[in-house]
Amino acid sequence: MSLVSGPGRGGTHNQDALPDQLKLAVDQHVRYIRNLDTRKDELQYWLTEHLRLNGVYWGLTALHLLGHPEGLPRDATIKFVLDCHNIDGGFGAAPGHDSHMLYTVSAVQILATVDALPELESSKYGGKAKVADFIANLQDRESGTFAGDEWGEQDTRFLYCAFNALSILNMMDRIDVDKAVAYVKACENFDGSYGRIPGAESHSGQVFTCVGALAIARRLDLVSQDRLAAWLSERQLPNGGLNGRPEKLEDVCYSWWVLTGLSIIGKLHWIDKSKLSNFILRCQDTEHGGMSDRPGNMVDVFHTCFGVAGLSLLGYPGLRKVNPMYCMPDDVVQKLPYWHK
Ligand code: GRG
């Protein structure tokens, strides 16, 4: 898809009228992401092995939103994902690593994004039913929430990951959705925002997971929409960036965690979109590509993904539309059988 002539959403900027530092450095970002896997002689590459499958998801998602799906070779990507599959049906961060919910959701998202979900059936450790079993076994049938792995830490992040992956696999019937939904409601605080477990501090990361899970379950009626939107809009600081909770610093990734909540409940206009968009663009390395948490800091693929996804939600021209519930290209989500029931 050509970035300029592709199906962009139109939005807050006319790109040609922008000064250079406020233009999205598409070619540099694509080159930066493509080169990440060629840096195997760097210590940093091996120090981040425990995040590899997440890293592939972040890089691939950014490339697809930037209009360059060819940026990572499809066959090698599918092979790497399947090499991370384990006998318990879950996926590890890299071949030989233990299974965890966080990598399992990335595996499912990657395969769906490159239209390769049927490839799961060729895995020596079983197809999508086995993956669904791994996820379903992590639900605490008493409380309804989920653990990340067999060791048991519970967090609404894992509940969201289960909803995300199982809805993509069209296997939500493997879990007790009503119990999980009631658990999410119990994580809501007086300010309309959400925490990791009932009574935990409100954090915008948890707004993404809780509101995202309720949206996937088609239960947005449970969200205190005006109170939540007020709390989320207060996350914007004078420099345009967003923080994750009161009194904290801004960070590009909150352009995703905060903005998605507002987008899902139809209140994106409660923040200053143009100021946020300029903040994200100031976090680019326009020479070598990539985005950082704040202007001038070192770039990484996590912030690059959520910066680009945030710009897509803001309607930055030329970007492929992102889906706020899944952080995947919207056209991929629209085709999922789960959304046609
Ligand atoms: C499919 C997009 C996608 C995600 C999978 C893992 C997950 C589900 C969601 C993570 C949601 C979350 C908790 C995001 C927040 C991440 C973050 C930057 C946490 C930092 O917390 P602190 O306390 O930082 O270190 P602050 O900014 O509060 O000081």
Side-chain angles (χ1 to χ4, degrees):
M1 179 184 95
S2 147
L3 188 70
V4 180
S5 61
R9 294 205 302 159
T12 52
H13 286 289
N14 169 359
Q15 211 175 2
D16 291 339
L18 290 170
D20 269 357
Q21 73 270 27
L22 292 186
K23 282 184 187 155
L24 186 61
V26 173
D27 293 345
Q28 291 89 323
H29 296 320
V30 171
R31 211 175 320 120
Y32 164 73
I33 295 166
R34 290 181 62 131
N35 284 341
L36 284 170
D37 208 41
T38 62
R39 297 161 66 165
K40 295 185 179 156
D41 56 342
E42 291 177 22
L43 180 62
Q44 189 66 16
Y45 182 88
W46 298 106
L47 288 180
T48 54
E49 190 182 53
H50 64 291
L51 292 173
R52 192 74 70 230
L53 201 49
N54 293 152
V56 174
Y57 159 71
W58 296 326
L60 181 90
T61 301
L63 285 171
H64 276 253
L65 298 180
L66 288 164
H68 286 267
E70 78 296 344
L72 288 183
R74 183 173 181 274
D75 288 352
T77 303
I78 296 169
K79 181 178 181 315
F80 179 75
V81 171
L82 295 182
D83 284 348
C84 296
H85 203 193
N86 290 320
I87 195 162
D88 58 11
F91 290 79
H97 286 229
D98 289 348
S99 296
H100 194 285
M101 185 76 93
L102 291 174
Y103 312 119
T104 304
V105 70
S106 283
V108 171
Q109 289 183 286
I110 293 166
L111 292 177
T113 300
V114 301
D115 196 18
L117 278 174
E119 302 276 343
L120 265 178
E121 306 310 317
S122 67
S123 166
K124 66 177 177 218
Y125 294 131
K128 68 175 193 169
K130 196 79 197 294
V131 180
D133 283 347
F134 171 79
I135 296 171
N137 285 335
L138 291 171
Q139 185 171 30
D140 177 342
R141 298 281 163 168
E142 293 251 309
S143 71
T145 194
F146 285 78
D149 62 15
E150 61 174 311
W151 308 107
E153 185 206 357
Q154 297 180 342
D155 187 317
T156 46
R157 279 181 304 155
F158 309 137
L159 185 157
Y160 162 80
C161 290
F163 277 32
N164 176 322
L166 289 176
S167 61
I168 291 175
L169 297 173
N170 203 16
M171 299 188 110
M172 288 286 276
D173 56 351
R174 294 295 179 100
I175 56 171
D176 189 335
V177 174
D178 290 344
K179 257 215 162 124
V181 162
Y183 187 88
V184 172
K185 182 67 185 166
C187 292
E188 185 188 42
N189 290 321
F190 69 92
D191 51 19
S193 183
Y194 296 83
R196 208 170 43 80
I197 53 173
E201 183 187 359
S202 292
H203 194 290
S204 69
Q206 255 65 41
V207 173
F208 169 72
T209 61
C210 291
V211 175
L214 292 176
I216 291 172
R218 302 181 172 94
R219 291 305 311 273
L220 285 176
D221 56 299
L222 295 177
V223 177
S224 305
Q225 303 201 0
D226 282 356
R227 254 187 303 153
L228 175 63
W231 188 86
L232 288 172
S233 60
E234 282 168 7
R235 305 281 56 78
Q236 189 159 38
L237 300 176
N239 62 15
L242 307 177
N243 65 11
R245 46 188 166 146
E247 305 301 325
K248 291 286 193 158
L249 288 177
E250 69 285 0
D251 182 321
V252 150
C253 73
Y254 294 121
S255 313
W256 181 256
W257 313 120
V258 172
L259 224 47
T260 43
L262 288 170
S263 169
I264 289 170
I265 60 175
K267 295 193 174 4
L268 213 47
H269 56 291
W270 283 38
I271 57 144
D272 186 327
K273 294 197 240 177
S274 168
K275 274 181 94 172
L276 174 60
S277 175
N278 288 351
F279 171 79
I280 299 173
L281 292 165
R282 287 202 310 276
C283 292
Q284 301 180 99
D285 180 334
T286 49
E287 199 182 338
H288 303 105
M291 290 186 188
S292 55
D293 55 356
R294 284 181 275 285
N297 285 354
M298 201 151 116
V299 304
D300 61 71
V301 68
F302 171 87
H303 289 95
T304 306
C305 172
F306 294 113
V308 171
L311 286 175
S312 170
L313 262 191
L314 290 167
Y316 193 89
L319 290 178
R320 192 166 164 193
K321 185 177 169 186
V322 68
N323 182 285
M325 293 180 282
Y326 289 86
C327 196
M328 287 163 60
D330 189 55
D331 52 308
V332 172
V333 174
Q334 296 302 331
K335 285 192 208 124
L336 295 172
Y338 176 76
W339 291 104
H340 294 276
K341 292 203 262 205

